Amino acid sequence: MDTPFQLNLSKLSLDGLRAQQEQQAQLARDIEAEIARRRGEALTQLVDEMWSKARGLGFSDREVMAALSPKVKKAYARAADAPLPATAPAPASADGPRDKPQVGETYANPSNPEQTWTKTTRLGAPARWLHALVMASDDKTYEQFRVKA
């Protein structure tokens, strides 16, 4: 282990003090990251050992999960700072509540105008009826089914 050294702060300039402050802040961040990394490794090792022992005793993954499920729920309920995952509300950002997803283009079925699909994400898959219509069309584009605003 490295031996800490004494730093005579009274001999440092204001810029030197600020540099030391930034170095200490970076050191604190590095220490926190290393602690988190080691805790993650220890937890992974613990879980791997638990699964290995359960399999060695002849338990299936399903049996282990069934036995753990109520214990995990109770542990979450006991933890003051960890709400139950199934009922946890979405966290608010520092600037206030989360924004609602942006609503994109709306597409309609020409043969059944009440059948519509609205794109809410860039990666959202289109409705099956819309995909089938596009694949059956000559130009193979969604644009022809888009509702003009």
Side-chain angles (χ1 to χ4, degrees):
M1 184 169 158
D2 295 333
T3 305
F5 63 92
Q6 291 292 334
L7 185 62
N8 188 347
L9 298 177
S10 63
K11 296 197 182 220
L12 289 176
S13 67
L14 184 57
D15 288 340
L17 285 169
R18 286 189 178 128
Q20 281 297 317
Q21 186 180 35
E22 181 53 40
Q23 287 176 357
Q24 293 299 317
Q26 183 60 49
L27 178 61
R29 289 189 295 267
D30 292 347
I31 289 170
E32 287 299 320
E34 183 63 19
I35 288 170
R37 186 188 68 77
R38 289 186 189 185
R39 284 177 51 86
E41 285 178 355
L43 188 58
T44 298
Q45 183 179 358
L46 175 68
V47 170
D48 289 346
E49 289 172 2
M50 189 255 331
W51 283 114
S52 179
K53 185 170 184 173
R55 286 186 189 115
L57 292 170
F59 292 105
S60 69
D61 290 352
R62 184 175 294 230
E63 289 172 309
V64 173
M65 291 302 296
L68 282 176
S69 182
K71 294 179 186 303
V72 169
K73 286 181 182 175
K74 284 180 185 175
Y76 270 112
R78 282 193 313 263
D81 59 342
L84 286 170
T87 60
S93 69
D95 301 328
R98 285 188 179 184
D99 293 333
K100 292 183 179 178
Q102 260 188 323
V103 175
E105 301 89 15
T106 299
Y107 301 87
N109 185 340
S111 60
N112 181 2
E114 295 200 8
Q115 194 172 36
T116 62
W117 176 75
T118 302
K119 183 176 182 178
T120 56
T121 65
R122 186 169 53 91
L123 300 175
R128 289 182 181 158
W129 63 263
L130 178 58
H131 183 71
L133 286 173
V134 169
M135 291 298 107
S137 70
D138 292 332
D139 60 359
K140 307 266 192 257
T141 65
Y142 289 90
E143 194 59 33
Q144 61 187 325
F145 302 106
R146 183 174 170 193
V147 175
K148 308 295 185 227

